[in-house]
Amino acid sequence: MEQNHDAKTPEETINGDHNGTEHPPEKSANGEKSGSEKEEKAVEEQNADPVFQVSVKLPHKPYQIQVMVSTQEQVQDLRNSIVELPDTFQYSCFHLEHKGTRINDFVELSEVKELIPGAEMKLVEDPYTEKEARMHMVRVRDLIGAAGDRIDTLHGISAGLSLHDTIVPPEMINPSTHNGKRSGATSSEDSHALSEYDFNAPASIQTILPQIKDSPPKTVKSICVSAWNPPPHYLRQKGHLLYLQLTTNEGEQFQITSHVSGFFVNKSSNSKFDPYPRPQPKSASAHSLLALIEKLSSSFQTSFSSLQEYNNRKDPLANFQVTNTIPANPWLVPAAESSLLAHQPDLTRTQETYLMSGNENAETLRDWNEEFQSTRELPKETIQDRVFRERITSKLFADYTDAAARGAVMVARGEVAPLNPTENRDAQIFVYNNVFFSYGADGVGTFTSEGGDDAARVAVGKDVTGIRVVNQLDIDGLFTPGTVVVDYLGKRLVGQSIVPGIFKQREPGENQIDYGGVEGRDVVAENEAFASVFAKLSKQLRVKKHDVWDKEGKKHTLEGSVETKGLLGTDGRKYVLDLYRLTPLDITWIEEYWSDISDRDAKSSETNYPHRMTVLRPELIEAYWRSKMGELVKAELERRRSPAKGAENADSKTLHDTNGNAESKAITNGNIQEHDETRLTATGEKAESNGQQERVDISDFGLAFNPDVFCGQAPQSDEEKEELFNDEKEVRSICSFLRQNVISELVHDLREGDVGFPMDGHSLARLLHKRGINVRYLGKLATLAKEQSSRLEALNALSVQEMIARSFKHIANHYMKGLPAVFISSCLAHLLNCLLGADFNQAPKACLDEELQVYYTNADWSFKDLDVQSLRAKVQAEVHLRYRYTLDENWAENLKHIQLLREIALKLGLQITAKDYQFSASSKSLTNGGTNGVSHHTNGVSSRKKKKNGDHDLASQSSESLSLSSPTTFSPDDIVNIIPVVKDACPKSTLAEEALEAGKMSMMQNQKEVGQELLLESLSLHEQIYGVLHPEVARMYHQLSMLYYQLDEKIAAIELARKAVYVSERTLGVDSNETILSYLNLGLFEHGNGNTKIALIYMRHALELWKIIYGIRHPDSITTINNAAVMLQTLKHYHDSRIWFETSLAICEEVSGRNSVNTATLCFQLAQALALDQEPKAAVNRMRDAYSIFLSKLGPDDRNTKESESWLEQLTQNAVSIAKHAKDVQARKLRRIQFAPGITLGTRPQPQVGQSSTGTALGSDPRELNRIDSRSVDELLRFIEGGGETSKRSPAKKRSSRGNPKRRGGLLGNAV
């Protein structure tokens, strides 16, 4: 709101402020209207252009400011912008007036009468209330840097950390370099970020640790609530609100009274109470506490300015508080003794709860359920209504998730008294902060026949997923409770908003539930009032209206699963509960691996799956529906065309795409998208045939599933039995579709390089879920990967690692569940020693405080009995039990220690001290042990490699002494903190997503002006609805940056990519796979804009992160290393570039094989690099290898074969010529070979994991990616002889790296 925007220059719009108020006006509105213009014209311009500038008059210096506003915003947004400006920091208690009339803070600016561009508003200071005085005190403490460090039970150490500014300091990012010219010298003598880069060196933990920085300037010594606070009753009557105590940098102490009129220095001392104003000349008063401090301390203004300069060294995105989501918590943190974690004395830290909440602490108590439901009932007719509604919804879900997670932590630690203390622990319920908590365990026997505690744990996880789906559908008249699932200290807790009437005792004969199963499936309730809203829900979820039978054999017809319940609240609203069975069971899995508990043979290991809650994913249901619909459309078109046998089947390929890519059209990030089911074209979307749309009516296509099949239903009549049999047949069909189609297609896509390859467990799980595959199929995925090509060895390794990490999580949860919180770190350290530290100590012993043990007589100490062999046996058994996969005999020796430790830490919420852990007797560093025993194709780091002496970290000075004194790898002190792992039910913004998709569609239709406007509108909506610091906004920045780069808007692309880095780091993690992708693309965009040296810094950091989360030899790292080689060629570092090309080729040979087309492509590139490095013989050999592979794989007539043959001939002639002539001839020939890296060896932005590597939003021709070189043979001949010009093509049309001609984009197009 503080800066001007111009839709015609996207980079200026993107460079706007960070409060989410950017809008894409069609022309600038930064000037005031002349006095001669008519007011009606100004109003018309305001309506046409919603962003304009207004003046705000101030009571103090500078007396007036200019602010950009939008008619779509509330006055409250304008207030927030004012208080964030440096000139208006002091204001917090005020109102705004326009033409003498007070403006309501909660109306939209469009509702303010006669508010036109250039209008003048007045800021009027208001009297304080006690709450406003307390908030002002908190704000001033934060502004002047007096707040100190805070200890938060929910947010861990270094929460919301960003490393970007330590990697590339802001002073290096000079706007003057963004001018399309290459910054940095091009001389080969200059150094670069990749100098002497060691691919085999272990990853450095410094990569993800914050650097020790200078202390911020101190503005005051202390400011806190005085010991005289609160005011006595008789002084409250006179307007006294608070008493404060200030100690300035000069050492003077002042007692300050907070009064309704402002703040003044009083006559009190530490021993005398006299809260009245001091007499002249020592009196001082001001409306703002900030202004008063400035009067009292002569050095304050200087130190405060220095503090602002200190804070401004970082990008605002690195400093803003994360409010609309839980900030990412790093799993590795500095040692406790590090200056980064220094614990400073701060008396007011103990008073912050009072300052935030008041004496009664009543201000934080909110009626969450009423807020949720009233927000859902907000109007949504207009765009403005939808923006406001979705914005409030996002903020409400963030607040509720925060409150529920904090409450769950307290419950898990035993700090909240249960409502039913006489029940067993798993059955106890709690209420804290108006949130209802219960354990995710089978405390009352509801799931006894389904698997007990395991089934209950899965059910609550599926329930929160189901609620998220229902929230996304946003069905009128149907309400859901706020729901959060929290995993903490081995316990799973569910926090729900309290539905009015859920605890109400009904009259005898009335059911507690109004619709669905009351007591399991024994008693079923029907209510016509629920039938209509449940029918809407079932239609969207593909749930069939079906019959169920109660224990007496009475038939009931339900719109949803019998497990899904409807409750009529005392507020008159219809609530839907227990949404863990929205989809049918995976009956194939159940029949194969499950048997009833009572019939189970203890010796059987094939039918002992832990639970029966194996429901299918909603994404699979949608993909199957699309597949069947495609078959129907195809059959109908074939029937229509059958009379005309001579007609061409122009739509066959389109129909194939409908079937093959069903899930990509129907599912976006795991959320069901709505479809128009009444009429559909041949592709299921919009396809044209001979200029006309050939439509098929699918209004009768009603494929839906009965979620209650295979659940003990007992139909009575033959007709009912037949219908149930047909329902069961359909469910078996979708189970078969999952195994035979979906999983195999995913494996195929990963093998062929059609989608980005997952880097870690999180990205792998997201990819599976997006395709509709449950994580329990990891074993099958690993088996398929093991049986197929070498490219999938990485998938096998990643799947096995994920299974081991998840199995360890279940084992750790089992042992932590019965332990007091103070012994959790001892338990985890022992378990980690048995799993990861066995090579260092074969017989680790648990470290326990025996004196403390005597206080906990009921604790379960069984974890002490675990040893290395028993834990390995448990892990092996757990992997087989849950994933039906048998680990190799030497699996424990092949662990990638650091990568596995990271996965375990993220799953359990651990924050571990960053130091040199010894995973084997010979290891000397954190990651050497992490790679010991790992074959080169999965990590690329030999176990014989040792860390160089120059590598250090924060604990290097003490690592050797620690390792000598400690007999184990981990000690309890290494587990610094445990944070809750939270799952929420917050829906995504449909409005923002619609604008994004519309923008992409316009781009594909070559309507660039409209498309850019829609994309900017989508960006503005994302920022307004989510707030800037949110994972969805990070993904939006990422996508939009790629789109702008493809539009050759390089500066805008760089700014968006940089924002994506900041937000990804702070909300997803400094080492998340999405953060790595953001760094890689930022590096590519900087290179494309000529800032190659900065680009190489980003590339190096991304590769170091890659080492930590996977290892350097990842299938998609080939693209990254290749891109870095191209950048080095740009800087004319030909020798270094050649080394990087050789590394890329070496990894490609391991992944794809020595005789693959991908390897041939890289051989071609390496041959060019060798020629540039004056190695003609080696260049000939590599080009011969490329030609041989192309000839054998693609045949002599393929263009790639012909091109490589031509290059081979010329390189051979050149090598012979060099051998025969003197060195001056050699110099004259070779030095004139100036390959243009931007043409022959281009770089390419990298899509996200699971995203197609070739399909772009702009519909680029994939054939452009299939060519080795776009120039003719004659041009190449002239080029290599130095007798012709390079291609005349614009640098904006750079080719991607040479791809696999058989595939869309090939391996090098297969971005991460």
Side-chain angles (χ1 to χ4, degrees):
M1 192 184 297
E2 301 152 19
Q3 301 192 20
N4 300 336
H5 304 288
D6 190 341
K8 295 183 180 179
T9 55
E11 57 272 19
E12 292 179 11
T13 303
I14 292 159
N15 275 322
D17 61 6
H18 300 287
N19 61 7
T21 59
E22 288 106 326
H23 294 273
E26 294 182 2
K27 61 180 181 178
S28 175
N30 60 349
E32 294 188 12
K33 304 298 178 183
S34 65
S36 61
E37 290 185 53
K38 294 183 178 181
E39 187 172 300
E40 291 81 0
K41 184 177 180 181
V43 173
E44 289 176 3
E45 290 187 4
Q46 174 191 343
N47 294 333
D49 189 352
V51 178
F52 55 94
Q53 185 172 280
V54 297
S55 299
V56 180
K57 293 186 65 177
L58 306 173
H60 309 290
K61 289 183 179 180
Y63 300 113
Q64 186 168 340
I65 59 172
Q66 306 294 323
V67 182
M68 295 299 299
V69 299
S70 167
T71 56
Q72 300 176 7
E73 296 169 336
Q74 289 187 336
V75 178
Q76 185 71 33
D77 299 321
L78 174 57
R79 283 178 54 99
N80 293 338
S81 295
I82 291 174
V83 300
E84 293 298 331
L85 290 172
D87 291 333
T88 50
F89 276 155
Q90 61 180 307
Y91 303 106
S92 67
C93 185
F94 63 90
H95 70 268
L96 296 172
E97 292 183 356
H98 178 55
K99 293 188 175 181
T101 303
R102 179 168 181 159
I103 305 174
N104 190 313
D105 289 343
F106 300 99
V107 301
E108 288 191 357
L109 288 171
S110 59
E111 299 176 29
V112 179
K113 293 182 180 180
E114 301 179 359
L115 184 65
I116 60 175
E120 185 176 272
M121 306 175 77
K122 185 178 180 182
L123 185 150
V124 181
E125 294 175 332
D126 284 338
Y128 287 95
T129 63
E130 184 196 333
K131 178 181 178 180
E132 288 169 334
R134 287 189 279 105
M135 293 298 104
H136 186 76
M137 167 69 168
V138 172
R139 170 175 164 75
V140 168
R141 275 172 46 83
D142 285 336
L143 280 174
I144 66 177
D149 59 315
R150 291 186 172 97
I151 307 301
D152 197 301
T153 57
L154 178 61
H155 303 159
I157 301 167
S158 301
L161 174 67
S162 174
L163 299 175
H164 176 276
D165 289 346
T166 63
I167 298 160
V168 178
E171 54 267 21
M172 287 187 63
I173 307 172
N174 189 338
S176 63
T177 64
H178 291 158
N179 55 9
K181 298 180 181 179
R182 299 188 188 280
S183 63
T186 57
S187 172
S188 60
E189 286 78 20
D190 292 338
S191 62
H192 55 84
L194 301 182
S195 297
E196 299 181 358
Y197 186 84
D198 187 354
F199 290 97
N200 290 324
S204 171
I205 58 172
Q206 283 285 75
T207 305
I208 57 175
L209 289 180
Q211 294 182 359
I212 298 176
K213 54 187 178 182
D214 298 335
S215 299
K218 203 167 183 63
T219 56
V220 297
K221 286 189 175 181
S222 71
I223 180 170
C224 61
V225 178
S226 170
W228 298 113
N229 196 69
H233 293 291
Y234 73 95
L235 289 173
R236 283 179 177 274
Q237 302 300 320
K238 296 184 179 182
H240 289 214
L241 303 174
L242 299 172
Y243 298 130
L244 310 175
Q245 180 175 300
L246 167 70
T247 304
T248 65
N249 281 345
E250 292 81 6
E252 293 185 85
Q253 187 178 91
F254 297 93
Q255 298 283 341
I256 298 173
T257 296
S258 171
H259 191 263
V260 292
S261 62
F263 297 83
F264 61 81
V265 178
N266 63 40
K267 294 184 287 185
S268 296
S269 66
N270 289 335
S271 59
K272 177 187 174 184
F273 180 60
D274 188 357
Y276 295 99
R278 279 187 181 183
Q280 292 288 353
K282 294 185 178 181
S283 64
S285 64
H287 187 269
S288 168
L289 180 58
L290 194 67
L292 179 61
I293 297 174
E294 185 176 346
K295 292 180 179 181
L296 298 176
S297 174
S298 59
S299 64
F300 176 78
Q301 184 59 46
T302 303
S303 58
F304 184 55
S305 299
S306 299
L307 177 65
Q308 289 179 274
E309 292 176 3
Y310 176 88
N311 291 333
N312 290 336
R313 292 179 192 173
K314 280 193 171 186
D315 189 280
L317 285 177
N319 288 331
F320 284 164
Q321 185 178 359
V322 181
T323 57
N324 274 23
T325 187
I326 296 177
N329 294 281
W331 64 278
L332 276 179
V333 295
E337 61 272 14
S338 168
S339 60
L340 291 169
L341 302 183
H343 194 50
Q344 302 294 338
D346 182 14
L347 182 62
T348 313
R349 186 166 50 222
T350 63
Q351 304 167 343
E352 281 194 339
T353 301
Y354 159 71
L355 289 172
M356 295 287 191
S357 309
N359 277 324
E360 306 300 327
N361 197 30
E363 295 170 12
T364 58
L365 293 179
R366 299 166 63 176
D367 188 344
W368 296 109
N369 190 76
E370 181 59 31
E371 288 191 48
F372 273 119
Q373 314 320 332
S374 59
T375 301
R376 184 179 288 274
E377 291 171 335
L378 288 172
K380 51 182 177 181
E381 282 73 27
T382 66
I383 295 294
Q384 289 78 11
D385 288 341
R386 292 180 65 186
V387 171
F388 178 73
R389 183 174 182 265
E390 292 188 357
R391 183 178 181 181
I392 295 297
T393 299
S394 177
K395 178 60 177 172
L396 177 58
F397 270 98
D399 291 347
Y400 175 75
T401 300
D402 184 274
R406 293 181 189 277
V409 168
M410 296 188 68
V411 170
R413 299 182 73 92
E415 297 174 17
V416 180
L419 300 180
N420 52 344
T422 59
E423 301 285 343
N424 68 74
R425 190 185 68 87
D426 288 344
Q428 289 177 350
I429 56 177
F430 310 81
V431 172
Y432 182 79
N433 200 7
N434 278 346
V435 179
F436 172 73
F437 293 98
S438 59
Y439 286 105
D442 192 22
V444 295
T446 304
F447 296 95
T448 301
S449 62
E450 306 288 331
D453 287 347
D454 281 302
R457 185 181 181 90
V458 172
V460 296
K462 296 294 183 184
D463 183 37
V464 74
T465 302
I467 291 175
R468 187 188 306 118
V469 170
V470 175
N471 288 339
Q472 191 70 48
L473 294 175
D474 196 15
I475 296 171
D476 292 334
L478 192 62
F479 300 88
T480 58
T483 306
V484 166
V485 170
V486 179
D487 292 325
Y488 184 65
L489 302 183
K491 307 173 183 70
R492 171 162 286 191
L493 290 116
V494 188
Q496 293 184 307
S497 61
I498 302 174
V499 176
I502 195 169
F503 294 125
K504 178 183 177 182
Q505 293 296 322
R506 304 287 182 104
E507 296 294 329
E510 290 186 353
N511 295 320
Q512 287 293 113
I513 297 298
D514 296 291
Y515 192 78
V518 179
E519 300 174 3
R521 294 181 291 271
D522 293 342
V523 179
V524 180
E526 293 183 75
N527 189 327
E528 286 300 320
F530 281 85
S532 58
V533 290
F534 267 63
K536 295 178 184 177
L537 175 64
S538 297
K539 182 178 181 181
Q540 295 290 341
L541 296 176
R542 320 292 183 201
V543 174
K544 178 182 179 181
K545 184 177 181 179
H546 60 281
D547 298 329
V548 297
W549 293 264
D550 58 24
K551 63 180 180 181
E552 298 177 355
K554 182 180 178 181
K555 183 172 75 171
H556 305 267
T557 302
L558 297 179
E559 293 285 353
S561 169
V562 68
E563 303 288 355
T564 303
K565 301 171 176 59
L567 174 69
L568 185 62
T570 54
D571 56 359
R573 298 186 177 105
K574 301 180 183 69
Y575 293 88
V576 58
L577 309 173
D578 293 350
L579 293 166
Y580 53 83
R581 278 275 302 281
L582 293 178
T583 55
L585 295 174
D586 185 352
I587 188 58
T588 306
W589 185 278
I590 290 176
E591 291 179 344
E592 195 169 349
Y593 303 121
W594 163 267
S595 62
D596 290 338
I597 303 294
S598 56
D599 300 335
R600 187 171 294 180
D601 183 358
K603 297 181 181 179
S604 173
S605 61
E606 296 303 321
T607 59
N608 61 347
Y609 193 69
H611 59 83
R612 201 174 183 273
M613 296 296 298
T614 57
V615 295
L616 300 171
R617 292 194 63 83
E619 296 92 339
L620 177 69
I621 301 295
E622 196 69 13
Y624 183 76
W625 186 91
R626 300 282 296 178
S627 175
K628 288 297 182 182
M629 178 271 298
E631 292 177 6
L632 172 69
V633 172
K634 183 176 181 180
E636 176 64 19
L637 289 179
E638 289 179 350
R639 184 187 64 79
R640 292 181 184 180
R641 295 170 183 174
S642 57
K645 295 182 179 180
E648 293 186 14
N649 188 3
D651 293 334
S652 59
K653 183 180 185 301
T654 308
L655 290 171
H656 172 73
D657 290 342
T658 303
N659 266 329
N661 296 324
E663 86 283 1
S664 64
K665 296 291 184 184
I667 303 297
T668 303
N669 291 330
N671 293 319
I672 298 179
Q673 305 297 310
E674 296 185 30
H675 301 284
D676 181 5
E677 298 181 16
T678 57
R679 298 190 65 83
L680 217 64
T681 63
T683 63
E685 298 291 335
K686 295 180 181 178
E688 291 191 7
S689 177
N690 298 325
Q692 296 181 351
Q693 291 186 340
E694 190 170 2
R695 297 183 176 275
V696 175
D697 186 359
I698 62 166
S699 57
D700 295 332
F701 182 68
L703 178 63
F705 302 92
N706 180 353
D708 290 320
V709 296
F710 306 111
C711 293
Q713 295 298 326
Q716 305 298 314
S717 66
D718 292 340
E719 183 179 350
E720 294 169 349
K721 292 179 181 178
E722 183 179 358
E723 183 174 2
L724 184 64
F725 174 79
N726 291 333
D727 291 345
E728 291 177 346
K729 183 178 178 182
E730 198 66 60
V731 171
R732 291 186 184 278
S733 176
I734 194 173
C735 293
S736 176
F737 176 75
L738 168 63
R739 292 195 172 200
Q740 298 179 11
N741 294 64
V742 178
I743 295 177
S744 59
E745 285 176 5
L746 173 62
V747 173
H748 173 270
D749 290 346
L750 290 172
R751 184 183 67 245
E752 297 300 311
D754 291 339
V755 296
F757 210 93
M759 299 183 192
D760 60 355
H762 176 72
S763 57
L764 176 60
R766 283 194 68 191
L767 176 58
L768 293 180
H769 289 165
K770 187 176 180 180
R771 295 292 186 109
I773 304 171
N774 301 86
V775 173
R776 62 176 171 271
Y777 282 98
L778 272 174
K780 183 174 180 61
L781 196 68
T783 302
L784 289 174
K786 193 174 183 179
E787 293 171 351
Q788 299 194 28
S789 69
S790 57
R791 175 176 170 82
L792 295 180
E793 287 184 7
L795 178 61
N796 173 262
L798 199 56
S799 300
V800 170
Q801 178 176 283
E802 181 69 2
M803 287 187 284
I804 293 173
R806 286 174 177 265
S807 298
F808 181 87
K809 178 191 72 173
H810 288 292
I811 295 169
N813 284 337
H814 169 74
Y815 287 110
M816 288 193 296
K817 188 176 180 181
L819 279 177
V822 293
F823 291 102
I824 295 295
S825 58
S826 297
C827 173
L828 289 170
H830 182 60
L831 294 177
L832 289 172
N833 283 326
C834 292
L835 179 69
L836 299 174
D839 291 342
F840 178 71
N841 187 335
Q842 291 286 345
K845 299 295 182 183
C847 181
L848 288 173
D849 187 340
E850 296 181 357
E851 294 181 358
L852 200 57
Q853 276 186 265
V854 298
Y855 291 99
Y856 300 96
T857 56
N858 296 325
D860 180 8
W861 309 106
S862 57
F863 77 91
K864 296 192 302 180
D865 301 328
L866 280 177
D867 57 21
V868 172
Q869 296 305 321
S870 60
L871 180 65
R872 288 179 177 178
K874 283 182 176 294
V875 170
Q876 196 162 349
E878 197 76 14
V879 168
H880 184 268
L881 174 67
R882 295 183 179 276
Y883 308 104
R884 300 298 148 172
Y885 184 81
T886 302
L887 295 173
D888 296 337
E889 293 183 1
N890 59 343
W891 66 270
E893 286 75 32
N894 287 341
L895 294 178
K896 295 194 288 184
H897 294 81
I898 281 304
Q899 287 79 8
L900 182 56
L901 177 61
R902 175 182 178 271
E903 295 290 350
I904 290 171
L906 293 177
K907 287 173 173 55
L908 292 174
L910 308 183
Q911 290 193 295
I912 303 172
T913 300
K915 68 177 185 181
D916 287 342
Y917 292 104
Q918 295 193 350
F919 295 109
S920 66
S922 60
S923 67
K924 296 292 183 185
S925 69
L926 181 66
T927 54
N928 267 351
T931 57
N932 283 346
V934 182
S935 57
H936 62 281
H937 61 268
T938 58
N939 194 358
V941 184
S942 169
S943 62
R944 292 188 295 271
K945 295 284 182 181
K946 295 185 178 180
K947 187 175 180 181
K948 293 185 177 180
N949 294 331
D951 292 341
H952 297 284
D953 66 75
L954 289 175
S956 60
Q957 67 275 12
S958 60
S959 60
E960 292 188 9
S961 60
L962 282 172
S963 63
L964 291 174
S965 61
S966 175
T968 56
T969 302
F970 298 93
S971 70
D973 290 342
D974 294 329
I975 313 297
V976 181
N977 187 33
I978 302 177
I979 54 176
V981 179
V982 182
K983 299 178 182 178
D984 61 36
C986 182
K988 292 185 179 180
S989 167
T990 55
L991 183 61
E993 293 294 328
E994 287 169 5
L996 176 60
E997 293 305 317
K1000 288 182 178 180
M1001 187 64 68
S1002 298
M1003 290 294 190
M1004 293 178 66
Q1005 297 171 353
N1006 206 28
Q1007 300 174 355
K1008 292 187 177 181
E1009 185 175 346
V1010 176
Q1012 282 186 266
E1013 185 175 343
L1014 285 168
L1015 291 172
L1016 289 174
E1017 183 65 25
S1018 176
L1019 174 61
S1020 175
L1021 289 171
H1022 272 82
E1023 292 178 332
Q1024 288 186 71
I1025 291 168
Y1026 294 114
V1028 176
L1029 295 175
H1030 193 279
E1032 291 304 317
V1033 177
R1035 295 175 182 123
M1036 177 65 193
Y1037 285 146
H1038 182 87
Q1039 293 183 59
L1040 204 55
S1041 68
M1042 296 179 68
L1043 288 170
Y1044 272 114
Y1045 188 74
Q1046 293 163 14
L1047 290 171
D1048 206 26
E1049 297 278 1
K1050 294 178 181 178
I1051 299 176
I1054 289 171
E1055 291 303 319
L1056 284 165
R1058 185 171 290 113
K1059 288 185 177 184
V1061 167
Y1062 280 117
V1063 182
S1064 295
E1065 284 186 322
R1066 302 197 63 196
T1067 62
L1068 297 168
V1070 292
D1071 61 345
S1072 74
N1073 68 292
E1074 293 180 66
T1075 300
I1076 294 177
L1077 293 175
S1078 297
Y1079 268 112
L1080 289 174
N1081 280 345
L1082 177 55
L1084 293 178
F1085 300 162
E1086 287 281 13
H1087 167 67
N1089 196 43
N1091 305 314
T1092 303
K1093 287 204 166 187
I1094 293 178
L1096 290 177
I1097 298 175
Y1098 290 131
M1099 299 296 282
R1100 183 185 184 110
H1101 181 69
L1103 286 170
E1104 289 297 320
L1105 292 177
W1106 217 329
K1107 283 185 178 181
I1108 290 175
I1109 74 168
Y1110 180 85
I1112 201 65
R1113 296 181 181 273
H1114 186 275
D1116 287 346
S1117 67
I1118 301 170
T1119 304
T1120 302
I1121 296 171
N1122 190 81
N1123 287 340
V1126 173
M1127 295 178 190
L1128 289 170
Q1129 277 194 355
T1130 304
L1131 296 177
K1132 300 183 180 179
H1133 292 285
Y1134 297 130
H1135 182 70
D1136 290 344
S1137 173
R1138 161 199 171 175
I1139 294 174
W1140 283 71
F1141 276 124
E1142 289 174 342
T1143 303
S1144 178
L1145 175 61
I1147 298 175
C1148 184
E1149 288 179 344
E1150 295 175 5
V1151 170
S1152 301
R1154 297 181 63 88
N1155 295 318
S1156 69
V1157 178
N1158 298 316
T1159 301
T1161 304
L1162 286 174
C1163 285
F1164 185 96
Q1165 293 177 318
L1166 178 57
Q1168 294 178 327
L1170 288 167
L1172 284 172
D1173 197 29
Q1174 301 187 13
E1175 293 284 352
K1177 293 183 180 179
V1180 170
N1181 291 335
R1182 284 302 181 185
M1183 190 60 71
R1184 184 179 294 111
D1185 292 340
Y1187 171 70
S1188 300
I1189 298 173
F1190 282 139
L1191 182 63
S1192 63
K1193 295 290 184 180
L1194 305 179
D1197 298 328
D1198 186 85
R1199 175 169 183 169
N1200 296 308
T1201 307
K1202 292 180 179 179
E1203 296 287 0
S1204 58
E1205 183 180 17
S1206 174
W1207 273 91
L1208 178 60
E1209 291 176 359
Q1210 298 306 311
L1211 287 174
T1212 302
Q1213 292 175 9
N1214 199 38
V1216 172
S1217 174
I1218 291 171
K1220 292 181 177 180
H1221 291 77
K1223 289 185 178 181
D1224 60 332
V1225 177
Q1226 175 184 351
R1228 178 171 54 84
K1229 294 279 187 180
L1230 285 182
R1231 287 171 185 168
R1232 295 174 71 180
I1233 300 180
Q1234 299 293 328
F1235 295 112
I1239 301 171
T1240 61
L1241 298 174
T1243 58
R1244 184 183 177 194
Q1246 307 196 5
Q1248 294 175 321
V1249 172
Q1251 178 181 326
S1252 171
S1253 60
T1254 57
T1256 67
L1258 303 186
S1260 62
D1261 189 353
R1263 291 173 297 179
E1264 291 296 320
L1265 306 174
N1266 294 343
R1267 300 173 182 173
I1268 289 181
D1269 202 294
S1270 59
R1271 294 168 292 175
S1272 68
V1273 175
D1274 293 336
E1275 288 177 315
L1276 295 174
L1277 294 177
R1278 290 196 305 271
F1279 183 67
I1280 194 169
E1281 292 295 335
E1285 298 291 334
T1286 59
S1287 173
K1288 301 294 184 182
R1289 297 180 185 271
S1290 168
K1293 297 182 180 179
K1294 290 185 286 188
R1295 296 294 180 270
S1296 296
S1297 305
R1298 310 301 178 262
N1300 182 345
K1302 283 189 174 181
R1303 304 173 187 160
R1304 299 186 304 163
L1307 182 64
L1308 299 180
N1310 175 26
V1312 177

